[in-house]
Amino acid sequence: MAESPLNNIRVVLVNSAHPGNIGGAARALKNMGLSQLVLVQPREFPAANAIWRAAGAAELLDNAIVVDSLQEAVANCGLVVATSARERRIPWPLLTPRQCGEKAVVEAATHPVALVFGREDRGLTNEELQACNFHVHIPANADYSSLNLATAVQVLTYEVRVAALELERGSALNYTEWDRPPAKAADMELYFEHLQQALGELEFIDPNKPRQTMTRLRRLFSRVRPDDMELGILRGMLTAIQNHIYRAGGQGRPDKPSGSNSRG
Ligand code: SAH
């Protein structure tokens, strides 16, 4: 298995007419951290113009694999995605560019993945499109949805990179990298009890009908998922607010909610 999923994702250019586009695609790949370029019957390759457009990515052209057919280019791939500038007549499982990036990166951890691009003038044939598992369309201006070939490669390889970075970082909060553990469920319940009491005393909510607001606040804090120290601060703030109310009202404190860590 390749160490980075990006090393297991190849870009296949079918029958490209302009070597400049091959060079531009090579540059896009290298910029996004990909390295495998496969060319199916390029009309002009190698070419000086390809090297010129590749700029600092010329080694990808040296290492490009040139083959005779799409079948050959994707033979050992477990996932093959075709790109298309148009919505086709034959419906096919469709991915958005974002879904395509995510799927490519996830699957590349276990098997080779190919992203297939068509000819500048005619795109991919129906037969070629039907040799692929999914189709992906960049939702460009409907009046002019056909991107330059190298630009389309750039957009889709960018999505692959974003997905790879997300995966590396762990899209959800990773508590081994956080300085405090998440607040415990029981402490969250004590907090909600405390919050409801304090908001009632503030007359922000009707203590007899706290429901809607409390439900929304519960949902807010479920999204935030405070850590134990953040929850302690929130509870301390509620206590300070309550003490202020009691002092202003000149009345004794009502029952303290359980588990309160008063700072006042
Ligand atoms: N006239 C051709 C245009 C091909 S553009 C057609 O209508 O099919 C050349 C290649 O760039 C396409 O085969 C595809 O691989 C890619 N491409 C261009 N625009 C795209 C888009 N909006 N979404 C996905 N791929 C696109």
Side-chain angles (χ1 to χ4, degrees):
M1 193 173 86
E3 69 282 6
S4 161
L6 298 182
N7 294 334
N8 216 16
I9 300 173
R10 75 191 62 173
V11 164
V12 180
L13 305 183
V14 178
N15 217 196
S16 310
H18 302 294
N21 281 334
I22 297 175
R27 182 174 185 168
L29 260 74
K30 187 164 175 187
N31 281 148
M32 296 301 114
L34 283 90
S35 56
Q36 295 185 37
L37 187 60
V38 182
L39 308 173
V40 179
Q41 292 191 5
R43 281 178 241 175
E44 194 189 328
F45 188 81
N49 205 16
I51 298 168
W52 184 74
R53 278 283 303 277
E59 91 264 14
L60 265 73
L61 298 177
D62 296 337
N63 298 332
I65 294 170
V66 181
V67 295
D68 274 334
S69 67
L70 176 60
Q71 285 92 322
E72 223 181 304
V74 301
N76 66 340
C77 292
L79 170 69
V80 183
V81 182
T83 58
S84 168
R86 291 171 283 159
E87 311 274 1
R88 298 284 167 157
R89 280 180 301 275
I90 313 140
W92 213 256
L94 208 61
L95 297 171
T96 65
R98 191 134 308 165
Q99 291 168 328
C100 175
E102 287 163 5
K103 203 167 184 54
V105 163
V106 167
E107 296 208 19
T110 51
H111 44 258
V113 169
L115 303 181
V116 184
F117 294 81
R119 300 154 187 84
E120 289 90 335
D121 51 348
R122 291 179 293 121
L124 293 164
T125 64
N126 282 336
E127 198 182 328
E128 287 162 346
L129 284 165
Q130 289 165 31
C132 301
N133 303 112
F134 291 91
H135 294 171
V136 59
H137 171 71
I138 299 163
N141 178 358
D143 292 337
Y144 188 42
S145 65
S146 177
L147 278 73
N148 163 265
L149 172 58
T151 309
V153 171
Q154 182 73 79
V155 171
L156 289 167
T157 53
Y158 171 72
E159 289 294 347
V160 166
R161 181 163 190 81
V162 169
L165 293 174
E166 286 282 316
L167 197 75
E168 221 174 82
R169 215 183 304 126
S171 24
L173 177 60
N174 181 344
Y175 278 97
T176 59
E177 291 166 9
W178 202 249
D179 56 345
R180 303 293 313 182
K184 292 188 177 59
D187 291 334
M188 287 306 298
E189 288 307 322
L190 291 174
Y191 170 67
F192 288 128
E193 197 186 308
H194 196 169
L195 183 63
Q196 184 172 333
Q197 190 190 76
L199 293 180
E201 288 164 10
L202 266 176
E203 295 173 3
F204 181 76
I205 56 172
D206 178 350
N208 301 316
K209 282 186 261 160
R211 280 237 153 180
Q212 272 295 328
T213 305
M214 285 311 297
T215 303
R216 296 210 171 251
L217 287 171
R218 272 181 174 270
R219 193 174 65 178
L220 167 67
F221 285 101
S222 315
R223 270 206 321 273
V224 173
R225 299 191 61 212
D227 66 35
D228 64 345
M229 192 172 282
E230 290 162 345
L231 195 71
I233 294 169
L234 288 169
R235 294 213 55 182
M237 284 164 55
L238 291 179
T239 303
I241 290 168
Q242 286 178 311
N243 286 342
H244 193 79
I245 296 169
Y246 309 143
R247 275 199 300 275
Q251 51 189 310
R253 250 203 94 138
D255 286 346
K256 250 180 153 185
S258 39
S260 171
N261 61 341
S262 168
R263 289 149 61 104

